[in-house]
Amino acid sequence: MTPETNTLETVSTARAHGGVQGVYRHQSVETKTPMTFAVFVPPHGEGEKLPVLWYLSGLTCTHANCMDKGEYRRLAAELGLIVVLPDTSPRGEEVPDEKDNWQFGSGAGFYLDAMQAPYAENYRMYSYVVKELPDLIAAHFPADMNRQGIAGHSMGGHGALTIALKNPERFKSASAFAPIVKPSVAGWSRPAFEKYLGTDEAAWREYDTCLLIEDGRRFPEFLVDQGGADSFLTTGLMPELLVEAADKAGQKVVLNLREGYDHSYNFISTFMDDHLRWHAARLKG
């Protein structure tokens, strides 16, 4: 671990359900920017190591969206789960961005490592979430890194599923709310993939859930919840493509279509308990 990675600044802490909700900042080696993230640590005994659930947020979000609206703390405290909420992209005046494009740049890192200039220098969110931030969590929190799960929403659901498929030895559970299951074809992600990864679509396959499954990657089981009234259902999310790819490959997916629910945190908070219990059963069983 480098000195830069090991340096952690506490932005704020607050008591919640007997545990501590904290916000932290550090200088990232991967993104070459300061990065802010949140961690909820439930009540626990001295010396006790706890399972870790990663939650990846969607387009335009920061760590604060789920922290403020996800309603996870009460049950996470009861279940004994550490919950880690990373940011969704590097940020800063020197970081290349398209300020008028909410689907690209700041808030839209897509949990990939960019390959094209000028984005490759900073947009390394895959390596940040998979390699750098876990070292920081292990060093500063009572985390059992042998018991990790991963979840996410929308762009973060894409991140959670692809990261799980590429790291099945690390994660024991994976779930998603309204994930972008095939970003290589979705209208709101194809332009970003081309800018980050280039025009050779072979490079895109490493960051596409359906194509990873097609290429032989497997995970024991996914839980996916999708709102039936989601305005992005048919143009950006297309869960039927995941079901099709999974059925062909024998990849187990539990898909719940929640009629009347949209894409917002009203939907996520409603079914957050189901996901926390799903992860706890696999991380603590």
Side-chain angles (χ1 to χ4, degrees):
M1 182 180 297
T2 67
E4 293 87 349
T5 303
N6 200 31
T7 301
L8 187 68
E9 172 192 355
T10 300
V11 177
S12 66
T13 58
R15 201 76 174 160
H17 296 282
V20 176
Q21 176 65 69
V23 178
Y24 307 91
R25 183 185 298 116
H26 74 117
Q27 180 64 35
S28 169
V29 174
E30 290 290 348
T31 69
K32 299 178 176 61
T33 66
M35 295 294 290
T36 301
F37 62 96
V39 181
F40 175 71
V41 178
H44 60 283
E46 184 176 355
E48 184 181 2
K49 295 288 188 178
L50 305 171
V52 180
L53 176 61
W54 297 81
Y55 178 91
L56 308 182
S57 291
L59 288 163
T60 75
C61 292
T62 70
H63 68 280
N65 293 76
C66 187
M67 186 177 75
D68 293 343
K69 298 181 286 188
E71 299 182 19
Y72 58 86
R73 279 176 287 267
R74 177 194 56 79
L75 189 57
E78 179 183 320
L79 296 172
L81 295 176
I82 292 175
V83 181
V84 180
L85 313 172
D87 202 349
T88 55
S89 76
R91 300 176 190 271
E93 292 184 4
E94 303 303 318
V95 177
D97 188 18
E98 293 182 5
K99 296 186 183 302
D100 295 328
N101 183 0
W102 63 274
Q103 298 172 339
F104 183 76
S106 181
F110 279 93
Y111 303 100
L112 52 76
D113 286 347
M115 299 168 59
Q116 300 295 304
Y119 309 108
E121 180 76 4
N122 306 110
Y123 286 87
R124 296 186 53 79
M125 290 303 296
Y126 176 83
S127 288
Y128 176 72
V129 168
V130 172
K131 300 174 184 177
E132 184 176 6
L133 191 52
D135 284 347
L136 200 68
I137 297 301
H140 292 278
F141 299 92
D144 182 351
M145 303 306 281
N146 292 316
R147 293 186 291 164
Q148 296 184 65
I150 190 165
H153 169 231
S154 194
M155 179 186 71
H158 138 78
L161 299 183
T162 55
I163 288 172
L165 283 166
K166 291 194 285 186
N167 300 276
E169 74 289 343
R170 174 178 294 188
F171 297 100
K172 296 184 180 299
S173 56
S175 73
F177 298 95
I180 306 172
V181 302
K182 199 167 186 178
S184 61
V185 301
W188 61 357
S189 45
R190 272 190 63 87
F193 269 40
E194 184 169 332
K195 292 171 186 175
Y196 286 138
L197 301 173
T199 57
D200 181 0
E201 296 189 19
W204 300 12
R205 303 185 73 88
E206 280 294 298
Y207 301 105
D208 185 302
T209 298
C210 290
L211 297 180
L212 283 168
I213 292 172
E214 183 179 305
D215 290 344
R217 303 293 184 106
R218 297 290 182 271
F219 196 78
E221 188 175 17
F222 291 133
L223 171 64
V224 176
D225 272 86
Q226 172 63 62
D230 192 321
S231 60
F232 303 112
L233 181 61
T234 60
T235 57
L237 306 173
M238 298 175 283
E240 69 278 2
L241 298 181
L242 174 60
V243 172
E244 180 182 347
D247 285 348
K248 286 182 180 178
Q251 168 64 54
K252 190 170 182 181
V253 176
V254 176
L255 174 63
N256 299 314
L257 186 63
R258 306 297 190 176
E259 292 297 343
Y261 285 90
D262 61 15
H263 199 68
S264 73
Y265 269 87
N266 295 309
F267 158 60
I268 296 166
S269 63
T270 300
F271 300 104
M272 179 64 79
D273 282 6
D274 293 347
H275 285 244
L276 292 174
R277 289 193 176 95
W278 168 278
H279 289 280
R282 287 152 182 80
L283 297 176
K284 302 186 73 174

